[in-house]
Amino acid sequence: MAEVVIVPDREAAGALVAAEIASLIRRRPDAVLGLATGSTPLPVYEALPAALAGVDVSQVRGFALDEYVGLDPAHPESYRSVIRREVIDPLGLDPERIRVPDGSMNGIEHHGDDYDAAIAEAGGVDLQILGIGTDGHIGFNEPGSSFASRTRVKTLTQQTREDNARFFDSIDDVPLHTITQGLGTILEARHLVLLAFGAGKAEAVAGAVEGPVTSSLPGSAIQLHPHVTVVIDEAAAARLGGADYYRYAFAHKPEWQGL
Ligand code: PGA
């Protein structure tokens, strides 16, 4: 099962995951990171500069989870712009080594296959950061997404468009379509780290960790993966039946195991 780590707040989550990423890059200087966008991963990105002090990041590679389709890449909320602003620039990564799915309409039918091929060519993702949507999506794999799905175009649910409207002037500006790594693509990463904060995520987290494995709740795909770390605050943990055991297990975790 997923290892569930319940932390006091976002900052603690960010520090924990940033330390794990720093340890990975020390071991493997050309590590391949799977980069999520949205509000959830920000504490990790904010903690990384300190965690990576003195670590050579010049060889680090990365693949974003998803991108809006048809949004100008120069738009401040395109995930290309977000990854540049939140990750590449502050950490001093080589932009040539960080890819974001191509959401341009020109050749869109091939962009998913091209992206999966690039991930495979890089040797796969070492550590994939994930958020989870209030409807249980990971990446932009909305409910009903196949567990075997590859990077492809998806239509956003109205709930996700409403959730993401805060990043745009109005909900009408939120694109209808995205290109997202598939659940099958995500499950190939060697380590999945799913973060969630706040009461609004409690139901989705409980479904993903303890509910039945069902494409109706795409986050439940994590139960099929051998190495998953779920890092959440108390509010996001509120609906977990096994919370006491997760706390107990983490408190007694052998140090050699790492995250
Ligand atoms: P959020 O989104 O981090 O902005 O809450 C999570 C997600 O949609 O995966």
Side-chain angles (χ1 to χ4, degrees):
M1 58 172 263
E3 175 173 44
V4 179
V5 185
I6 302 168
V7 292
D9 52 31
R10 287 170 164 78
E11 287 69 33
L16 187 74
V17 177
E20 180 67 13
I21 292 172
S23 150
L24 167 66
I25 296 172
R26 274 195 209 93
R27 282 196 314 275
R28 184 184 294 213
D30 64 346
V32 180
L33 304 178
L35 301 165
T37 44
S39 308
T40 303
L42 293 179
V44 177
Y45 301 147
E46 283 157 15
L48 270 171
L52 288 170
V55 178
D56 176 13
V57 297
S58 63
Q59 305 301 308
V60 170
R61 296 167 292 168
F63 289 90
L65 262 181
D66 42 22
E67 175 61 292
Y68 292 112
V69 168
L71 190 64
D72 182 348
H75 188 289
E77 294 306 328
S78 80
Y79 287 166
R80 177 170 301 280
S81 298
V82 171
I83 291 285
R84 181 101 201 191
R85 186 167 68 236
E86 310 289 359
V87 184
I88 296 176
D89 289 347
L91 301 184
L93 303 184
D94 177 357
E96 298 293 319
R97 290 172 179 266
I98 310 296
R99 275 188 71 155
V100 179
D102 184 348
S104 64
M105 291 305 296
N106 187 14
I108 186 71
E109 62 275 29
H110 306 298
H111 293 166
D113 290 348
D114 293 350
Y115 202 65
D116 283 334
I119 294 174
E121 201 175 315
V125 170
D126 290 306
L127 186 151
Q128 175 66 58
I129 301 168
L130 296 169
I132 187 165
T134 54
D135 66 359
H137 71 222
I138 54 175
F140 274 132
N141 294 283
E142 297 287 29
S145 293
S146 163
F147 285 177
S149 52
R150 313 300 307 177
T151 303
R152 72 221 182 285
V153 172
K154 286 293 287 182
T155 306
L156 292 181
T157 62
Q158 189 59 13
Q159 184 177 335
T160 299
R161 292 185 72 228
E162 284 167 15
D163 287 347
N164 286 12
R166 69 189 192 280
F167 295 115
F168 294 85
D169 290 338
S170 90
I171 187 164
D172 298 331
D173 295 337
V174 184
L176 280 172
H177 297 111
T178 62
I179 178 167
T180 180
Q181 285 192 34
L183 295 174
T185 315
I186 292 169
L187 288 173
E188 286 170 3
R190 285 180 274 281
H191 182 191
L192 303 182
V193 178
L194 187 148
L195 300 108
F197 308 112
K201 299 291 175 75
E203 200 176 329
V205 167
V209 174
E210 296 178 342
V213 174
T214 168
S215 59
S216 299
L217 200 140
S220 66
I222 64 172
Q223 294 178 44
L224 300 173
H225 193 285
H227 188 188
V228 183
T229 312
V230 174
V231 184
I232 50 181
D233 65 4
E234 293 286 349
R239 302 280 297 269
L240 286 170
D244 287 345
Y245 172 69
Y246 307 143
R247 284 192 191 89
Y248 176 83
F250 189 65
H252 294 90
K253 186 178 169 96
E255 200 163 327
W256 56 265
Q257 280 186 335
L259 262 196

